[in-house]
Amino acid sequence: GAVVSQHPSWVICKSGTSVKIECRSLDFQATTMFWYRQFPKQSLMLMATSNEGSKATYEQGVEKDKFLINHASLTLSTLTVTSAHPEDSSFYICSARGTSGVGYNEQFFGPGTRLTVL
Amino acid sequence: QKEVEQDPGPLSVPEGAIVSLNCTYSNSAFQYFMWYRQYSRKGPELLMYTYSSGNKEDGRFTAQVDKSSKYISLFIRDSQPSDSATYLCAMSARGGNKLTFGTGTQLKVEL
């Protein structure tokens, strides 16, 4: 149990385009999902926290208009990187926290999405 | 000063060795402590989850939390080559909420 998937696993895009990344909790309902970014040989940095049906809370220094987060259901959150630039190239990882039972009070991570912006 | 400090390594040990991984932290509000394993180009996998001080054992893994010293450890017994990965400590003030991660320690277990 407590499986989180991400799609796509990797994406290459041109500078100026937008990219959408999906995060799904497959076998539990997630009231809260988190989006992290990880640069090579560095730790995970929390970008934003999203609760189902409400606006995401962004960490200091993260542009909310550039990184659009939607958490429309208890099993799906999306991160859209708008007008991507090469400096946005990174490994994006989501995690999900359950409502009760499996996943409650713990964060389970997806496999990550590697974004390369040319 | 970072909230969570972790030696990045790399740490190289022979197969069968006992591995000790550690993190220190400065925020006394942290109550929940976790260890994640991350293979290259993959998402972190939860290994151990501990609330407050004490020890927790799961198979070859033992997690220790000393809140008075703001120090947590992960011990791996009988290490295997498959344990080669980056180990991240993480902690939060409230269960399931914002996690603060260490930088991760890269471990290599050699045959």
Side-chain angles (χ1 to χ4, degrees):
Chain A
V3 179
V4 176
S5 71
Q6 276 184 247
H7 178 80
S9 56
W10 59 271
V11 57
I12 301 173
C13 68
K14 292 183 179 179
S15 184
T17 60
S18 294
V19 175
K20 179 184 283 188
I21 302 170
E22 292 186 351
C23 176
R24 293 181 184 272
S25 56
L26 298 184
D27 51 4
F28 67 103
Q29 293 186 322
T31 48
T32 306
M33 287 185 171
F34 304 84
W35 287 95
Y36 294 83
R37 182 166 53 183
Q38 185 178 35
F39 291 107
K41 298 191 183 296
Q42 294 188 26
S43 191
L44 283 76
M45 298 299 294
L46 180 65
M47 299 174 65
T49 302
S50 73
N51 291 296
E52 185 264 338
S54 61
K55 289 184 179 181
T57 302
Y58 290 82
E59 295 298 302
Q60 191 173 9
V62 178
E63 299 175 59
K64 62 180 181 180
D65 294 330
K66 181 169 184 63
F67 298 99
L68 301 179
I69 292 171
N70 184 277
H71 192 162
S73 77
L74 287 173
T75 59
L76 174 64
S77 176
T78 60
L79 167 68
T80 301
V81 183
T82 62
S83 187
H85 287 93
E87 58 265 30
D88 297 324
S89 299
S90 188
F91 194 47
Y92 292 86
I93 308 175
C94 72
S95 69
R97 172 191 171 188
T99 56
S100 63
V102 173
Y104 182 69
N105 248 9
E106 299 179 23
Q107 288 186 35
F108 294 92
F109 285 80
T113 296
R114 183 159 302 279
L115 170 63
T116 301
V117 184
L118 302 176
Chain B
Q1 182 188 10
K2 293 180 181 178
E3 274 194 297
V4 179
E5 298 276 0
Q6 184 176 9
D7 186 339
L11 177 63
S12 184
V13 301
E15 183 179 8
I18 296 175
V19 176
S20 173
L21 304 167
N22 313 291
C23 288
T24 59
Y25 62 95
S26 57
N27 189 343
S28 57
F30 289 143
Q31 299 274 7
Y32 298 84
F33 304 91
M34 286 133 282
W35 286 95
Y36 288 87
R37 177 173 62 195
Q38 186 177 25
Y39 293 109
S40 181
R41 298 177 180 265
K42 300 291 184 183
E45 171 194 9
L46 181 65
L47 283 177
M48 301 290 282
Y49 178 100
T50 310
Y51 170 70
S52 195
S53 287
N55 295 358
K56 186 174 184 179
E57 187 174 323
D58 185 1
R60 296 185 296 112
F61 299 92
T62 299
Q64 290 185 350
V65 175
D66 182 351
K67 289 187 66 181
S68 62
S69 302
K70 295 189 178 65
Y71 187 89
I72 69 171
S73 300
L74 177 71
F75 297 95
I76 307 174
R77 290 182 298 279
D78 189 24
S79 56
Q80 304 294 312
S82 58
D83 294 328
S84 298
T86 295
Y87 289 80
L88 297 150
C89 65
M91 41 201 82
S92 69
R94 291 179 57 196
N97 275 11
K98 176 182 176 180
L99 291 177
T100 301
F101 281 86
T103 53
T105 299
Q106 186 180 355
L107 171 68
K108 184 174 182 180
V109 181
E110 298 178 325
L111 291 169

